[in-house]
Structures are given as C-alpha cells and as structure tokens.
Amino acid sequence: MKTWLTGLFMALMWISVTCQTQAQVRKSNPFQKVRPLPVMLHPLPLHSVKPLGWLEREVRKNLNGFTGQLEQLAPDLLVEDQLYGKQRLSKQTPIKNLGALGEAGDWQVQYLWWNSETQSNWLDGWLRSAILLDDTTSLSKVEYLVARLLESQDEDGYLGIYDRALRYQFDNENGELWAKTTLLRALLGWYDYQKSPKLLLAIEQAVANVMIAYPMGRSQPFKSTNPNASGLTHGLAFTDVLDQLHAITGKEVYLDYALFLYEDFSRQTLNEDAQWSKLMNIKLPLHGHGVHTYEHLRSVAAAYYASGNPLLGQALNLFLKKIEKTLAPSGGPISDEFIKGRQGHPDIGYEFCALHELMAGWISLLAKTGKPQYADRAEHLLFNAVLGNTHPTESSICYLKQDNAWVLQGGNNGDTTDHHQTRYRYSPLHREAAVCCVPNAGRIFPYYIQNMWMKSTNGFTASLLGPSELQAMFEGAKVVIRQEADFPFDNRLRFSISSSSPKTFELRIRKPDWAKTFHSSIPCTEHNGYLVFRRLWGSATDFTLTFSSELKAKSTGQQERYFQSGPWVLCHALEAMPVVTRTWEKSNLRELAYYPVKKVKYGYNGGRLLEENKQLHHFKAPLVHPETGKTDVVLLQPMARTILRQVSFPLRSSQ
Ligand SMILES: [Zn+2]
C-alpha cells in the first residue's frame, strides 16, 4: 500500500513538473502546439448557396463585364502568358513589362511572379461566378483552362511558375508560394463544384511537393536577404489552402504546416506587420503594405486555431485592435498602398484588393469563432466600402477610393503631382497600376455568397444576410431555405423552408448589430446575437423577419461627424461629370474619370436630421456652407452606389 501511495505521489509530482515545464515552454514559445481549437461554423460547398435578387444581379454584372471580359481586355496577361505551363520562369527569362509602372532595381524582380496572381485570382472569381449562376458557356471554358493547368503538373506534384533550376532555391523575393496559393484556391473552388477525386489528389500532391521541399521545422521558406519581399510574404496566404484542405480531408498535418509557415514567417527579418513579436507590441501601429497586412489576418487566425496556444490568441486579439484603428467609416482599411502607422481616415484611400482580403479575414474569423460581430464587419465593409467603390451602372471599379471622394481623375482627390497615378478612377482593368484589383472584384461577391449560410452544430446558420437559396442535406433529408427579400435594401426578410422529410433542426439567423428591434412572424429565441428557430420543419414553412433601425451620428478619429442608418453609412452625393478616358475595341466596357459639377465641403452644426424616405434611408440634413456660413438643407443617402460624395462633416457653427 505504502509503495502504491509513493508511486502515485511520484506520478503526480511528475505530472505537475511536466505541466509546469509545458507552461514555461508555452510562455517562451508561442508557436508550440498545445491543442487545436474547434471551428464553430462550417462553410458549405460553393454551389450549396445560390444568390438571388440584387446579389445575383451583381455577380451577373461582373460575369458579363470585367470578370467575363478580362481575357479580351488583356489577352497577353491572362491567356498568352503560360506562366504555369510552357513559359515557367527560368534564369533565362527576360524581364517583362506586365503593365506595372515602377522604378528599375529591386522592384523589377518581383514582377516576374505578378502575372500568376492576376491569372489565378481572375480564374478564381470567374469560375466561382460561373458556378453560382450555372453559366454553361463559362463553365466549359473553365473546364478547358483547369485541364490545361493540371497538365502542367510535374510527376513529383510540382504545380507552379518556376523551372527546376529555380524552384525552392530562393533567399530573396519570389512568388513560389503565392503563385501556388492563388492557383490552388481557384482549384479548390472547382473541386467544390466537381467533387472529382482526381482533382483533389492533384491539389494534395501539389501541397505535398511544397511540404517535401520546405520540410516542417527544418527549412526557412520565408528567408530573405531583403526585408521587403512582396511576393514572398504574400505567400503566407498559403495557409488559406491548408485551412481548406484540412476542412475537406480532416488531416491535421495541414494545420501543423500552417503553424510552421507562420512560425518561420515570424522568425525572419521582414518588413511585415503580422509577425508575432510585432503584433504583441500594441504600441506599434500597422505600417506595411495594406493588402499583405490584411490578408495575413487569416494566417494568424489559422496558426492560432492550429496550435491553441494562448500566446497566438493574444497576438490575434492585438492584431484585431490594430486593424480596427485603420478603418474608415465604410469599413475600408487604409491601404493606399502602405499603412504607414496612420489612423483610419475618410480621406485616405483603400485598395480594392484590401477590401476583399479583409472581408475574407472577417469571414474566416466568423467561421472559426462563430461570433456574429465578424459577420457585422464583413457586411458593413461589403455594403458600404465595396458598393461605394463599385461603379453603380458600368462594370468597373476604382483601384483606390476614399469615403470622401471629391474628384476621381487618377490622383488622390485631384493630386496631379504623380502623373503615373491612375488608381483613383473607374476602370475594368487598371493596367497602368496592376491587374490585381479587378480580379479580386470578381472574387468578392462569390466569397460573400458562399459564406452566407454555414453548417452549425444542430442545423444551419445564416450569418451573412441577403437574398439567397440554400440547398443542403440534414440527416438524410434535402433542406431548401429561400430568402427572397432584397436585404439590406429591404429590412423585411421573407424565409421559406422545406425539408424532403420532417426533421427537427435549428435555424439561426444573425441579428445585425445595428438592429434596434426585430419582429418575427413565428416564435424564436435570441441567443448570443442570433435568433434561433428550433422546430420540426416539414414540406413548407414561411415566415417573415423585420429589423428596425435608427439613425446614429458617429465620430471619425479626426472628430468629424458621419451618419449611419441601419446598415448604411450616409453621404452627400455630389453631382459628377464623367469623362471617358479609355475604350476597348469589341467591348462595351470603359474607363471613366469623374469631376464634380460643384464642390462644396459642408460642415455640421449638430442640427437634427429629418427622415425623407424611410425605405431608401434618405434624410434631410442641416449642413453649414463653408463660404456663406449659412445652413443648407442637404439630402443624405447611403454611400453605396455613389460616385463623388462627402461622408464626414467637420463640426462648425452656422451664422
Ligand atoms: Zn489591387
């Protein structure tokens, strides 16, 4: 007995010492795997959610416009350059002009990978749009393109843009991982649709090839003699591929590899905001290239969930606090191109790429945590920054745009000092800057739509709202849920639910953070920001859900006022004159600059706004004219689908 007790005591001591040691290691090593965290919501395959109403029209406009026509607007970049195939980069490849204007020197090197991003992000947006709309013409073209890309895969699994002499041999700028990331994300989208085991095998073989070339814990994929290595650090987004492969296959090794990539990225000398030690310093604001910084949010989240290490959780929380400081009223993050430690500002531009990357980051956090606050952020960004950047009637976007947009002629609000600056105007291509934003503009709606509905523990969750149809299986029954109202243009949502055989499951619908009250035509409970409908669902159940909103006056970081009504950030829209700056043969698409008919920068004296049209969220605002000092009554409307506008109003008294 005594021996047994002594043995137990010794065992407990050993466990205690081991736990203490593990705790100490955890304290000193943020990258140590503790225990992977469970993901709360599970995204469904791409074709499970179909867009309806305005979302369908938006995808169709892109598919008929810049997404569907991009290969005709720039065939040399999109089709003729077979970067992944016959024209892989080698030491003999001459420097090519891919349309980006820049200085000679270091910048030239990175141009070599640039086209891979253009091609693959375009393919990703194109195939997802085609799948969502069942567009058979585009689907057959995609099938051909995907087959051609898969033919380029080497026997050892290599899928990428470098020949044998160059691949995996870098100590400086390169696009090895980034070119694969963009391509594999597209192929995973295609796999979602086709469910071809052969395609999944090809993707897994391509990833295995990376894991052999850059072995976990025994290589340094992010090593660079130059701390400014743009393509290299874009490559951290390879965690997107790993995250999704884990979701499909359940293989934990993909998460382990994501953690390894983030560790190596953090340990190298790189000018990047998302490195662990920089994130942990809350006094250090974000400085880097906006698109990189915001896309890395997903990688930090992936590493945290792969490890469960609280020190990574801390870094993620601090990262979110830093990002929050960069946001304009619309939710657009500073990214014109570098953040440079600045605070969110309605006069500072955001890049369309950054809008997509940050929205995808919010959605990734929504799925991982199940917290509705991330859905609120994704919606706010889409409804205001994205719809406020996208041309209301033509198929074009601004590469850079601000909340307060006084003129869109190329430079920042009329700045003509840099004659190369063409980003602040509408184009279906933006070739002079880089063909990055337009391909991402083709991705943003498909990514939003796919994630509107997710699988939750006891049923389905509608986190992102809007007109859509979900078709999914629940315990062997086919469930169809339609939401046809044009939310957020209409705050009265109509749901109809049918199940092929009676099933009890939970339907959770997010209550938006701006909703003052809600009314449901059938009973529900409210729990953690969601409205929960749990019942036996049969052949047909219809119900309506209405959200009421109120007008709110808010402050920018610069103490200017702006207004929000429900989901919409309001603006004073300026009458704008278009000037066509470019057209293309055999295409109806155009590049357009806009000049204000009259530029007046109004102030606000604290006066009361009156509702003009409840449905349209139109208000009459008493605003102070800067020259007369008198109060004019000015119409405020949602900034979505406006061109030139004033969103924030400096405080000033009227005469
Ligand atoms: Zn871009």
Side-chain angles (χ1 to χ4, degrees):
M1 186 70 166
K2 194 178 170 187
T3 317
W4 181 83
L5 274 174
T6 309
L8 179 66
F9 176 72
M10 291 299 287
L12 287 172
M13 280 297 287
W14 183 83
I15 290 167
S16 164
V17 169
T18 308
C19 287
Q20 279 175 26
T21 314
Q22 280 182 354
Q24 280 159 2
V25 170
R26 274 206 297 274
K27 207 171 174 187
S28 58
N29 180 7
F31 308 105
Q32 178 161 333
K33 185 173 168 182
V34 179
R35 188 166 45 175
L37 300 173
V39 169
M40 303 312 288
L41 295 172
H42 302 274
L44 293 153
L46 178 62
H47 61 283
S48 303
V49 186
K50 291 278 178 193
L52 302 172
W54 76 273
L55 283 170
E56 184 185 356
R57 289 194 293 277
E58 207 66 40
V59 178
R60 196 171 298 285
K61 182 181 157 205
N62 293 352
L63 190 60
N64 293 337
F66 52 67
T67 302
Q69 294 188 41
L70 205 63
E71 59 178 325
Q72 282 103 55
L73 301 187
D76 54 332
L77 306 189
L78 274 302
V79 202
E80 290 157 17
D81 183 12
Q82 293 189 36
L83 194 55
Y84 290 95
K86 288 180 202 150
Q87 290 160 278
R88 278 180 181 162
L89 300 171
S90 72
K91 286 175 182 167
Q92 288 75 44
T93 307
I95 300 289
K96 292 177 278 190
N97 178 11
L98 300 181
L101 300 169
E103 301 299 320
D106 285 349
W107 281 100
Q108 295 296 334
V109 183
Q110 64 165 301
Y111 289 174
L112 299 177
W113 57 260
W114 208 324
N115 223 5
S116 64
E117 172 192 317
T118 298
Q119 291 182 0
S120 296
N121 277 345
W122 164 68
L123 176 64
D124 192 36
W126 187 34
L127 68 85
R128 286 170 194 272
S129 303
I131 293 167
L132 289 177
L133 300 182
D134 285 324
D135 184 287
T136 47
T137 312
S138 296
L139 287 171
S140 58
K141 282 188 195 169
V142 168
E143 186 141 36
Y144 166 76
L145 257 187
V146 168
R148 198 176 78 177
L149 283 160
L150 289 176
E151 274 169 23
S152 75
Q153 187 166 29
D154 292 347
E155 279 197 359
D156 63 0
Y158 185 86
L159 203 53
I161 58 170
Y162 294 106
D163 76 354
R164 284 186 188 278
L166 273 183
R167 68 184 61 159
Y168 303 121
Q169 306 287 320
F170 310 98
D171 64 355
N172 204 328
E173 170 66 353
N174 73 85
E176 185 73 89
L177 287 179
W178 181 229
K180 292 176 197 295
T181 300
T182 52
L183 175 59
L184 293 176
R185 284 191 308 216
L187 293 182
L188 282 164
W190 193 240
Y191 170 74
D192 244 4
Y193 171 66
Q194 283 218 321
K195 289 282 176 260
S196 149
K198 207 174 137 198
L199 177 57
L200 183 60
L201 182 67
I203 295 168
E204 286 203 83
Q205 282 172 342
V207 172
N209 180 262
V210 173
M211 291 165 76
I212 290 166
Y214 291 140
M216 210 171 351
R218 291 182 286 116
S219 63
Q220 299 180 72
F222 292 99
K223 188 175 171 59
S224 176
T225 51
N226 180 355
N228 300 310
S230 172
L232 174 68
T233 53
H234 261 314
L236 182 62
F238 196 69
T239 57
D240 286 349
V241 175
L242 297 164
D243 228 3
Q244 209 178 328
L245 267 185
H246 169 258
I248 294 169
T249 65
K251 295 175 188 170
E252 208 167 297
V253 67
Y254 293 128
L255 296 186
D256 294 343
Y257 200 72
L259 178 61
F260 156 68
L261 287 182
Y262 180 60
E263 175 174 3
D264 183 58
F265 166 86
S266 290
R267 290 193 190 282
Q268 302 297 341
T269 305
L270 297 165
N271 286 332
E272 287 293 344
D273 290 318
Q275 291 181 302
W276 181 79
S277 58
K278 288 181 189 161
L279 291 180
M280 292 299 277
N281 181 357
I282 191 64
K283 289 184 184 154
L284 188 68
L286 301 174
H287 275 274
H289 191 232
V291 181
H292 284 77
T293 299
Y294 305 119
E295 81 193 1
H296 290 163
L297 173 62
R298 301 194 298 277
S299 303
V300 178
Y304 172 47
Y305 272 71
S307 72
N309 190 318
L311 286 173
L312 286 184
Q314 232 175 308
L316 177 60
N317 283 333
L318 293 174
F319 198 2
L320 292 170
K321 287 198 171 92
K322 293 185 189 195
I323 288 176
E324 210 66 50
K325 287 192 177 149
T326 70
L327 303 182
S330 63
I334 290 184
S335 44
D336 61 335
E337 308 253 350
F338 286 82
I339 306 170
K340 298 179 188 168
R342 291 170 295 170
Q343 195 177 12
H345 197 298
D347 292 340
I348 299 179
Y350 31 80
E351 184 182 345
F352 205 105
C353 286
L355 298 182
H356 175 80
E357 296 300 354
L358 185 57
M359 189 199 77
W362 295 138
I363 289 174
S364 164
L365 286 167
L366 163 68
K368 285 182 166 64
T369 65
K371 290 182 181 170
Q373 69 212 51
Y374 298 115
D376 284 315
R377 279 167 177 71
E379 270 190 12
H380 186 79
L381 185 149
L382 189 86
F383 297 161
N384 295 288
V386 173
L387 287 183
N389 179 314
T390 309
H391 196 287
T393 52
E394 307 239 343
S395 182
S396 60
I397 53 141
C398 296
Y399 183 116
L400 290 175
K401 195 171 178 182
Q402 329 79 331
D403 283 7
N404 291 330
W406 302 104
V407 55
L408 288 165
Q409 106 295 11
N412 182 10
N413 270 329
D415 183 357
T416 52
T417 50
D418 178 2
H419 62 276
H420 288 317
Q421 181 58 286
T422 56
R423 291 166 173 82
Y424 292 92
R425 70 181 178 209
Y426 287 98
S427 170
L429 184 62
H430 283 289
R431 183 168 183 137
E432 298 80 2
V435 188
C436 54
C437 287
V438 171
N440 271 327
R443 296 172 72 216
I444 198 160
F445 280 98
Y447 274 75
Y448 181 87
I449 291 159
Q450 177 173 12
N451 292 290
M452 292 172 76
W453 293 88
M454 293 191 197
K455 186 99 174 59
S456 38
T457 315
N458 303 311
F460 301 98
T461 296
S463 290
L464 304 171
L465 306 178
S468 57
E469 181 182 281
L470 168 74
Q471 290 195 21
M473 300 301 288
F474 184 84
E475 293 177 355
K478 186 181 175 186
V479 174
V480 179
I481 306 176
R482 277 177 81 85
Q483 195 294 96
E484 289 186 52
D486 254 354
F487 179 90
F489 301 96
D490 183 351
N491 282 355
R492 188 165 175 267
L493 289 80
R494 295 187 304 275
F495 289 88
S496 74
I497 298 141
S498 66
S499 177
S500 60
S501 59
K503 291 285 170 193
T504 299
F505 62 82
E506 210 172 71
L507 177 63
R508 302 193 316 153
I509 300 169
R510 180 181 123 262
K511 182 185 160 201
D513 61 351
W514 49 261
K516 200 173 141 203
T517 57
F518 73 92
H519 178 263
S520 170
S521 63
I522 61 169
C524 66
T525 55
E526 194 175 342
H527 184 65
N528 286 343
Y530 288 98
L531 304 176
V532 184
F533 302 81
R534 184 178 170 79
R535 56 163 57 203
L536 181 70
W537 305 94
S539 57
T541 310
D542 295 339
F543 70 95
T544 59
L545 185 58
T546 312
F547 297 116
S548 72
S549 62
E550 60 184 349
L551 180 73
K552 284 192 172 163
K554 298 186 167 184
S555 272
T556 67
Q558 298 73 37
Q559 301 309 313
E560 294 192 347
R561 290 287 181 275
Y562 70 96
F563 302 93
Q564 192 175 331
S565 174
W568 306 111
V569 171
L570 305 181
C571 75
H572 167 224
L574 277 68
E575 196 184 336
M577 274 191 318
V579 173
V580 179
T581 51
R582 189 171 175 187
T583 56
W584 285 265
E585 264 182 55
K586 299 179 197 163
S587 172
N588 56 344
L589 305 185
R590 306 185 294 175
E591 195 174 81
L592 290 158
Y594 280 91
Y595 297 85
V597 173
K598 192 170 64 171
K599 181 185 169 185
V600 181
K601 188 174 181 182
Y602 279 107
Y604 176 60
N605 63 5
R608 192 159 160 255
L609 274 65
L610 296 174
E611 199 167 71
E612 165 85 356
N613 184 318
K614 193 181 175 71
Q615 177 74 16
L616 297 176
H617 296 261
H618 283 183
F619 291 83
K620 279 182 174 170
L623 297 178
V624 184
H625 195 286
E627 283 149 29
T628 64
K630 291 191 175 146
T631 302
D632 290 349
V633 176
V634 176
L635 179 76
L636 296 189
Q637 65 186 84
M639 67 182 283
R641 296 176 172 163
T642 61
I643 293 173
L644 301 183
R645 67 208 169 203
Q646 180 178 6
V647 164
S648 68
F649 304 90
L651 287 171
R652 58 175 295 172
S653 50
S654 49
Q655 283 179 357

